[in-house]
């Protein structure tokens, strides 16, 4: 149980275009979803926290107009990287948590590798 | 602020035990976690321990928590080549749901 999927698993796009990444909780309702960014051989950096039906809360230094997060339902959150540039190339990972599954435990998706040319 | 530290690399021989260490700073953490990440993949939850516990064992995995020293360890018994991965410890921040991750420990298992 507690499976999270992400789509696409990898994407290559041209500089200046926008890319949308989906995060779905498949067998539980994720009241809260988190978006992380991971650079090669580094740890996960929390970008934002989103609660279903509310605006996302962004961490310091993360541009909310560049990384648009929508959490429209209890099973789906999306991250849109707008006007992507090569420095946005990274591994993006989402996670979901629900009090019904286990308090505070986050279940992670497999990640999406974004390459901006 | 909150901080989690791990050693970066550990190499063991197949069949030996592996011990990965982690220190954290937030004494109000409710849960502490160990996640495993294989190349190009997301994070797999291995085990977790509630902050009022000292030890938790789950098959080959043993988690030890020293709350006084804010030290967490993960012991993998009879380490196999399939255990080669990056292991992250993480502490949860009370009332936020946020996790603070360590830098990750790369475990290399030699045959």
């Amino acid at each position: 149980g507690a499976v999270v999927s992400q789509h696409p698993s990898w994407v290559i796009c041209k500089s200046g275009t926008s890319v949308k990444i989906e995060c779905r909780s498949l067998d539980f309702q994720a009241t809260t979803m988190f978006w992380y960014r991971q650079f090669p051989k580094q740890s996960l950096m929390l970008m934002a926290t989103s609660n279903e039906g509310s605006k996302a809360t962004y961490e310091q230094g993360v541009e909310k107009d560049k990384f648009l997060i929508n959490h429209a339902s209890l099973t789906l959150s999306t991250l849109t990287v707008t006007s992507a540039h090569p420095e946005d190339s990274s591994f993006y990972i989402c996670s979901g948590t629900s009090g019904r599954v286990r308090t505070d435990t986050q279940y992670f998706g497999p990640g999406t590798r974004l390459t901006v040319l | 602020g909150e901080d989690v530290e791990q050693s970066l690399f550990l190499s063991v021989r197949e069949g030996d035990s592996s011990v990965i260490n982690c220190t954290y700073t937030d004494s109000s953490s409710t849960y502490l976690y160990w996640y495993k990440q294989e190349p190009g993949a997301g994070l797999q939850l291995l085990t977790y321990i509630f902050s009022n516990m000292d030890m938790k064992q789950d098959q080959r995995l043993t988690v030890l928590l020293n709350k006084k020293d804010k030290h967490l360890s993960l012991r993998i018994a009879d380490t196999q080549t399939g255990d080669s991965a990056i292991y992250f410890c993480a502490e949860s921040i009370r009332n936020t749901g946020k996790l603070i991750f360590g830098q990750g420990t790369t475990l290399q298992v030699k045959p």
Side-chain angles (χ1 to χ4, degrees):
Chain A
V3 178
V4 175
S5 70
Q6 281 184 243
H7 177 80
S9 54
W10 58 270
V11 56
I12 301 173
C13 70
K14 292 182 179 179
S15 188
T17 60
S18 294
V19 175
K20 181 185 282 189
I21 302 170
E22 292 185 350
C23 175
R24 292 183 185 273
S25 57
L26 299 185
D27 53 0
F28 70 101
Q29 292 185 324
T31 51
T32 304
M33 284 186 168
F34 301 85
W35 285 95
Y36 296 84
R37 184 173 180 176
Q38 185 180 32
F39 292 103
K41 298 188 187 302
Q42 293 189 26
S43 190
L44 280 72
M45 182 193 80
L46 179 64
M47 298 174 67
T49 303
S50 74
N51 292 298
E52 183 264 339
S54 303
K55 287 185 179 179
T57 302
Y58 291 81
E59 295 299 301
Q60 193 171 7
V62 178
E63 298 176 59
K64 64 179 181 181
D65 294 330
K66 181 165 188 62
F67 298 100
L68 300 179
I69 291 172
N70 183 277
H71 191 166
S73 77
L74 286 170
T75 58
L76 174 64
S77 176
T78 60
L79 167 68
T80 302
V81 183
T82 61
S83 186
H85 290 284
E87 57 266 30
D88 299 324
S89 298
S90 192
F91 195 51
Y92 292 88
I93 306 177
C94 71
S95 70
T97 183
S98 165
R100 292 180 188 174
V101 176
R102 210 179 290 281
T103 304
D104 290 345
T105 299
Q106 293 183 29
Y107 295 92
F108 285 80
T112 297
R113 183 159 304 283
L114 170 63
T115 302
V116 184
L117 301 177
Chain B
E2 305 90 5
D3 193 23
V4 179
E5 298 280 339
Q6 293 178 243
S7 53
L8 296 182
F9 186 78
L10 175 65
S11 180
V12 301
R13 292 213 172 272
E14 193 172 19
D16 289 349
S17 292
S18 307
V19 179
I20 302 172
N21 294 299
C22 172
T23 57
Y24 61 98
T25 57
D26 187 351
S27 58
S28 67
S29 295
T30 50
Y31 288 91
L32 294 129
Y33 298 86
W34 284 103
Y35 286 91
K36 176 184 180 183
Q37 185 179 36
E38 297 185 12
L43 273 67
Q44 173 195 353
L45 176 65
L46 284 180
T47 187
Y48 64 94
I49 188 167
F50 190 50
S51 57
N52 69 352
M53 297 170 65
D54 298 323
M55 186 184 87
K56 180 179 180 180
Q57 186 160 1
D58 184 0
Q59 298 182 340
R60 291 192 297 125
L61 305 178
T62 303
V63 178
L64 294 178
L65 175 60
N66 182 327
K67 200 170 180 181
K68 175 176 170 288
D69 294 338
K70 297 189 183 71
H71 182 266
L72 181 74
S73 69
L74 173 70
R75 178 176 179 270
I76 305 173
D78 187 25
T79 313
Q80 304 296 307
T81 54
D83 294 325
S84 294
I86 301 175
Y87 291 79
F88 290 95
C89 71
E91 61 169 344
S92 65
I93 306 302
R94 184 184 289 273
N95 297 327
T96 68
K98 294 182 183 180
L99 292 179
I100 304 297
F101 285 88
Q103 312 95 307
T105 299
T106 298
L107 174 63
Q108 179 189 68
V109 182
K110 296 179 181 177

